[in-house]
Amino acid sequence: MQIYKVGGAVRDRLLGKPVTDIDWVVVGATAEEMLAKGFRPVGSDFPVFLHPKSSEEYALARTERKSGRGYGGFTFHASPEVTLEEDLIRRDLTINAMAEDDQGVLTDPYHGQQDLENRLLRHVSPAFAEDPLRVLRVARFAARYAGLGFRVAPDTLELMRQLSESGELEALTPERSWKEISRALMEDHPQVFIQVLRDCGALKVLMPEVEALFGVPQPAAHHPEIDSGVHTLSVLEQAALHKQPLSVRWACLLHDLGKGLTPQSEWPQHIAHEHKGLKLIKQVNERFKAPRDCQELALLAGQYHTHGHRALELKPSTLAELLQNFDVYRRPQRFEEFIAACEMDARGRLGLEERAYPQADYLRGAATAARTVAVQPLLEQGFKGPELGEALKRERLKALKAYKEQYSQ
């Protein structure tokens, strides 16, 4: 039995990055031998075991063969005869197909170290094209390592293009797709993930609503970058720069989908794109079964982001309605995330990335003013039921009028 550290732990050590998760592969062993040593089996698809003390994953060396469509359409074969090189060749990228023994001796049969030095994301073998999930994984790695100068090798991008055109991407489950998408959006350069998907033709398969934004112009006075798709990538870039949570990044990606529906005859104006985009945002939310907080914020940001930009001009009654729609009295954090999405949208414009966004503090102040209205005095006045609700609305509107007047002085 020989045990090797494999994959990301080896890659990140060579890159000088922190190593968090460690995966191990065991060559020359049987499942019975692993159980006899106290390892605990996990997973039904192929023999993976948890170490009795560290709980790290140890997988028996295995080969795999395509047996159906999609991510799960594989037959695995694990036996003591499978070599380390045979196990490594089934992996996605050369930089993930290296192994180290307990002495730190590197096994690198597919030149992963050289590709690390050359900053290339390259597939290990033609079998790469058998797994559609790898399109998303490679785009995610491109987003992770873009800051180090990594790019997708041209021949790998070509394989990704073939996969995108094969119909295999449609076989991915929403859960597997969302896992990759959500992880990619939380990388340092999530806009690179979307760009790579676009470069290989996967974006128009997975998110045609986002693909449709590219080539659609906006008024240059407000959007010096002009192209709606380019703007969306810039907004996503700003969200990452400002360390926004996943829900805000998801909202940033989807906020302008309605612009893809504007007839060319109306370009570069996009009247009512906020409302038109809601059905598209719902489609994308449902396609990937996004978590509820992501779905809700994306819809609210899509509908109201221009309200955010015009916050200082809004009538107190419109402001009151906005706060009510966000349920700021019970869910203040969601409104805070909406404000963040609006600010990222404003910053995601060419040359305006550093411009101040006073609307943010104004909206926070408005929410505070409305929330400070106490219910108890109204109860003491005898209001109850629907009448109490109406009285509370009136008092909040008064508070917002006073806030706006004070702000204007």
Side-chain angles (χ1 to χ4, degrees), residues 21 35 62-63 78 99 119 127 170 176 179 211 215 217 222 233 244 250 277-278 301 328 347:
D21 297 323
L35 294 171
R62 64 187 189 270
T63 59
R119 300 302 197 238
E170 288 94 325
R176 289 300 311 182
K179 185 176 180 182
E211 173 73 32
H222 300 297
L233 296 186
Q244 298 296 346
W250 184 240
L278 293 181
V328 295
R347 290 182 181 277

Short mmCIF file of all heavy atoms in Angstrom, two decimals, residues 21 35 62-63 78 99 119 127 170 176 179 211 215 217 222 233 244 250 277-278 301 328 347:
data_model
loop_
_atom_site.label_atom_id
_atom_site.label_comp_id
_atom_site.label_asym_id
_atom_site.label_seq_id
_atom_site.Cartn_x
_atom_site.Cartn_y
_atom_site.Cartn_z
N ASP A 21 -7.68 22.05 2.29
CA ASP A 21 -8.13 20.65 2.22
C ASP A 21 -7.05 19.79 1.59
O ASP A 21 -6.43 20.19 0.60
CB ASP A 21 -9.42 20.54 1.38
CG ASP A 21 -10.56 21.32 2.01
OD1 ASP A 21 -10.65 21.31 3.25
OD2 ASP A 21 -11.34 21.94 1.27
N LEU A 35 -10.69 -0.88 5.53
CA LEU A 35 -11.61 -1.08 6.66
C LEU A 35 -10.88 -1.69 7.85
O LEU A 35 -11.11 -1.32 9.00
CB LEU A 35 -12.79 -1.97 6.24
CG LEU A 35 -13.75 -1.36 5.20
CD1 LEU A 35 -14.74 -2.42 4.72
CD2 LEU A 35 -14.50 -0.16 5.79
N ARG A 62 -8.17 4.66 -8.93
CA ARG A 62 -9.23 4.11 -9.76
C ARG A 62 -9.14 4.63 -11.19
O ARG A 62 -8.51 5.66 -11.45
CB ARG A 62 -10.61 4.44 -9.19
CG ARG A 62 -10.94 5.93 -9.17
CD ARG A 62 -12.25 6.18 -8.44
NE ARG A 62 -12.70 7.56 -8.58
CZ ARG A 62 -12.39 8.53 -7.76
NH1 ARG A 62 -11.60 8.30 -6.73
NH2 ARG A 62 -12.87 9.76 -7.96
N THR A 63 -9.77 3.93 -12.08
CA THR A 63 -9.95 4.40 -13.46
C THR A 63 -11.44 4.64 -13.64
O THR A 63 -12.27 4.19 -12.83
CB THR A 63 -9.46 3.37 -14.48
OG1 THR A 63 -10.19 2.14 -14.29
CG2 THR A 63 -7.97 3.10 -14.32
N ALA A 78 -11.88 0.36 -9.27
CA ALA A 78 -10.80 0.50 -8.30
C ALA A 78 -10.27 -0.90 -7.96
O ALA A 78 -11.04 -1.81 -7.67
CB ALA A 78 -11.31 1.18 -7.04
N ALA A 99 1.11 14.44 -7.71
CA ALA A 99 1.04 13.73 -6.43
C ALA A 99 2.38 13.85 -5.69
O ALA A 99 3.43 14.05 -6.32
CB ALA A 99 0.69 12.26 -6.66
N ARG A 119 1.64 29.35 -16.28
CA ARG A 119 0.31 29.91 -15.96
C ARG A 119 -0.76 29.44 -16.94
O ARG A 119 -1.55 30.23 -17.46
CB ARG A 119 0.37 31.45 -15.93
CG ARG A 119 1.35 32.04 -14.90
CD ARG A 119 0.99 31.55 -13.51
NE ARG A 119 1.57 32.31 -12.42
CZ ARG A 119 2.36 31.78 -11.48
NH1 ARG A 119 2.68 30.49 -11.53
NH2 ARG A 119 2.80 32.51 -10.49
N ALA A 127 -10.01 12.60 -22.48
CA ALA A 127 -11.15 12.18 -21.66
C ALA A 127 -11.78 13.37 -20.92
O ALA A 127 -12.89 13.26 -20.41
CB ALA A 127 -10.71 11.12 -20.65
N GLU A 170 -26.62 20.39 -20.83
CA GLU A 170 -28.02 20.31 -20.41
C GLU A 170 -28.27 19.14 -19.45
O GLU A 170 -29.28 19.11 -18.76
CB GLU A 170 -28.96 20.18 -21.62
CG GLU A 170 -29.10 21.46 -22.43
CD GLU A 170 -28.15 21.54 -23.61
OE1 GLU A 170 -27.01 21.04 -23.49
OE2 GLU A 170 -28.53 22.11 -24.65
N ARG A 176 -25.52 20.53 -9.04
CA ARG A 176 -24.10 20.50 -9.39
C ARG A 176 -23.68 21.81 -10.05
O ARG A 176 -22.62 22.36 -9.77
CB ARG A 176 -23.79 19.34 -10.34
CG ARG A 176 -23.85 17.97 -9.72
CD ARG A 176 -22.87 17.78 -8.59
NE ARG A 176 -21.52 18.20 -8.91
CZ ARG A 176 -20.49 18.08 -8.07
NH1 ARG A 176 -20.68 17.57 -6.88
NH2 ARG A 176 -19.29 18.49 -8.42
N LYS A 179 -23.46 24.59 -7.44
CA LYS A 179 -22.28 24.45 -6.59
C LYS A 179 -21.06 25.10 -7.25
O LYS A 179 -20.30 25.84 -6.60
CB LYS A 179 -22.00 22.97 -6.30
CG LYS A 179 -20.86 22.76 -5.32
CD LYS A 179 -20.68 21.27 -4.99
CE LYS A 179 -19.54 21.08 -4.00
NZ LYS A 179 -19.32 19.65 -3.70
N GLU A 211 -25.95 36.06 -21.66
CA GLU A 211 -25.30 36.14 -22.98
C GLU A 211 -25.94 37.23 -23.84
O GLU A 211 -25.26 37.95 -24.57
CB GLU A 211 -25.41 34.78 -23.68
CG GLU A 211 -24.94 34.75 -25.12
CD GLU A 211 -23.42 34.82 -25.26
OE1 GLU A 211 -22.71 34.31 -24.37
OE2 GLU A 211 -22.95 35.38 -26.27
N GLY A 215 -23.23 43.12 -26.55
CA GLY A 215 -23.56 43.75 -27.83
C GLY A 215 -24.75 44.69 -27.75
O GLY A 215 -25.10 45.33 -28.75
N PRO A 217 -26.15 48.11 -26.55
CA PRO A 217 -25.61 49.40 -26.07
C PRO A 217 -26.50 50.07 -25.03
O PRO A 217 -27.71 49.83 -24.97
CB PRO A 217 -25.54 50.24 -27.35
CG PRO A 217 -26.65 49.70 -28.20
CD PRO A 217 -26.74 48.23 -27.89
N HIS A 222 -24.37 57.86 -19.33
CA HIS A 222 -24.46 57.17 -18.04
C HIS A 222 -23.52 55.98 -17.97
O HIS A 222 -23.08 55.58 -16.88
CB HIS A 222 -25.90 56.69 -17.80
CG HIS A 222 -26.90 57.79 -17.79
ND1 HIS A 222 -26.88 58.80 -16.83
CD2 HIS A 222 -27.94 58.08 -18.60
CE1 HIS A 222 -27.88 59.64 -17.06
NE2 HIS A 222 -28.54 59.22 -18.14
N LEU A 233 -20.15 42.51 -16.29
CA LEU A 233 -18.87 41.96 -15.82
C LEU A 233 -18.18 42.95 -14.88
O LEU A 233 -17.59 42.54 -13.87
CB LEU A 233 -17.95 41.64 -17.01
CG LEU A 233 -18.42 40.56 -17.99
CD1 LEU A 233 -17.31 40.27 -19.01
CD2 LEU A 233 -18.79 39.28 -17.27
N GLN A 244 -18.21 41.53 -1.38
CA GLN A 244 -19.64 41.35 -1.15
C GLN A 244 -20.00 39.87 -1.01
O GLN A 244 -19.33 39.00 -1.57
CB GLN A 244 -20.44 41.97 -2.30
CG GLN A 244 -20.24 43.46 -2.47
CD GLN A 244 -20.74 44.27 -1.28
OE1 GLN A 244 -21.47 43.77 -0.42
NE2 GLN A 244 -20.34 45.52 -1.21
N TRP A 250 -24.74 37.55 -6.88
CA TRP A 250 -25.76 36.95 -7.75
C TRP A 250 -26.69 38.05 -8.27
O TRP A 250 -27.02 38.09 -9.47
CB TRP A 250 -26.54 35.90 -6.97
CG TRP A 250 -27.56 35.12 -7.73
CD1 TRP A 250 -28.90 35.06 -7.47
CD2 TRP A 250 -27.36 34.24 -8.85
NE1 TRP A 250 -29.54 34.22 -8.35
CE2 TRP A 250 -28.62 33.70 -9.21
CE3 TRP A 250 -26.23 33.87 -9.58
CZ2 TRP A 250 -28.78 32.81 -10.28
CZ3 TRP A 250 -26.39 32.98 -10.65
CH2 TRP A 250 -27.65 32.46 -10.99
N GLY A 277 -37.22 42.63 -16.85
CA GLY A 277 -36.21 41.63 -16.50
C GLY A 277 -36.64 40.63 -15.45
O GLY A 277 -36.00 39.59 -15.28
N LEU A 278 -37.75 40.90 -14.75
CA LEU A 278 -38.13 40.04 -13.61
C LEU A 278 -38.40 38.60 -14.04
O LEU A 278 -37.98 37.66 -13.36
CB LEU A 278 -39.36 40.62 -12.90
CG LEU A 278 -39.12 41.95 -12.19
CD1 LEU A 278 -40.39 42.42 -11.49
CD2 LEU A 278 -37.98 41.84 -11.18
N ALA A 301 -33.43 43.55 -6.42
CA ALA A 301 -32.42 44.43 -7.03
C ALA A 301 -32.76 44.70 -8.49
O ALA A 301 -32.60 45.83 -8.99
CB ALA A 301 -31.03 43.81 -6.90
N VAL A 328 -38.07 46.22 5.60
CA VAL A 328 -36.88 46.64 6.37
C VAL A 328 -37.10 46.56 7.88
O VAL A 328 -36.15 46.58 8.65
CB VAL A 328 -36.42 48.08 6.01
CG1 VAL A 328 -35.95 48.15 4.59
CG2 VAL A 328 -37.52 49.09 6.29
N ARG A 347 -20.70 51.68 -9.47
CA ARG A 347 -19.23 51.65 -9.62
C ARG A 347 -18.79 50.84 -10.84
O ARG A 347 -17.66 50.99 -11.29
CB ARG A 347 -18.59 51.07 -8.36
CG ARG A 347 -18.70 51.98 -7.13
CD ARG A 347 -18.00 51.35 -5.93
NE ARG A 347 -18.11 52.19 -4.74
CZ ARG A 347 -17.31 53.22 -4.46
NH1 ARG A 347 -16.34 53.54 -5.29
NH2 ARG A 347 -17.48 53.91 -3.35
#
